[in-house]
Amino acid sequence: MRIDIITCLPRLLESPFNDSILKRAREKNLVTVEVHDLRDYTVDPHRTTDDYAFGGGAGMVMMIEPIHRCILSLTAKAKYDDIIYMSPDGEVLTQSLANQLSMKENLILLCGHYKGVDERVRQHLITREISIGDYVLSGGELAAAVVSDAIIRLIPGVLSDESSALTDSFQDGILAPEVYTRPAEYKGWTVPGVLLSGNPALIDAWRQENALERTKKRRPGLFQGI
Ligand code: ADE
């Protein structure tokens, strides 16, 4: 898989892809992540990527030309399954959407800033919009990192067996069960005895029950959807 991220703040995306699981996925060539600085696609000496909104009002708007130039230079070299604009107005990211996106070959993520992008970008240049939740971030970069992380960890070979994505919360529509590790007792706080029983069938049954109970208590909306 290949993910191309277009941004006017490329430094914001340096660390998420250079550590831990995402770094290993890149080193194993399971994913290529390229960050493109929108300013490299401007033609004026000030490398301007935004301008005042027509009609007035506070806040700058990202211009269509550098974005279009950048998208054209990428699409000339590869075919993309989706060109995604990161936006609080978009479809909200869920595990199910991450699963779908993890099966794509090539994706472009466009990060907005300021008051957003010229509406014509949304009308003509992108294929979908994704939000990571109902709140407004200062830009789409952190959201692009979240979407990329949620997708990349699902690519076969990225996670080791013991951290398999199949046991994650939401993967089957419910939260994951509680987990514990050594010591079995700490300051009098104990671990559920069944987990120490060595009986895999009992442990599985307990985990299933615990996951359902937890979902019912913490996320009743999810539970009703089961
Ligand atoms: N850009 C600003 N806020 C955002 C959000 N909640 N999701 C995706 N992109 C954003």
Side-chain angles (χ1 to χ4, degrees), residues 53-126:
F54 279 133
M60 303 294 274
V61 177
M62 285 172 68
M63 298 154 78
I64 191 168
E65 289 117 309
I67 295 172
H68 197 195
R69 251 181 243 119
C70 183
I71 290 176
L72 283 177
S73 94
L74 293 174
T75 52
K77 288 177 274 184
K79 192 164 164 33
Y80 287 87
D81 299 286
D82 264 316
I83 302 177
I84 301 169
Y85 174 51
M86 302 310 309
S87 156
D89 322 350
E91 177 184 359
V92 176
L93 180 68
T94 58
Q95 191 60 48
S96 151
L97 179 54
N99 290 348
Q100 286 170 40
L101 293 173
S102 73
M103 286 181 263
K104 309 277 186 193
E105 276 300 314
N106 298 323
L107 296 172
I108 294 177
L109 304 183
L110 169 65
C111 306
H113 245 272
Y114 319 109
K115 270 278 164 219
V117 292
D118 185 311
E119 188 65 21
R120 290 166 293 184
V121 170
R122 301 167 81 162
Q123 290 165 348
H124 304 289
L125 304 185
I126 60 157

Side-chain angles (χ1 to χ4, degrees), residues 86-88 130-140 143:
M86 302 310 309
S87 156
I130 295 180
S131 162
I132 62 161
D134 291 341
Y135 41 83
V136 179
L137 301 167
S138 337

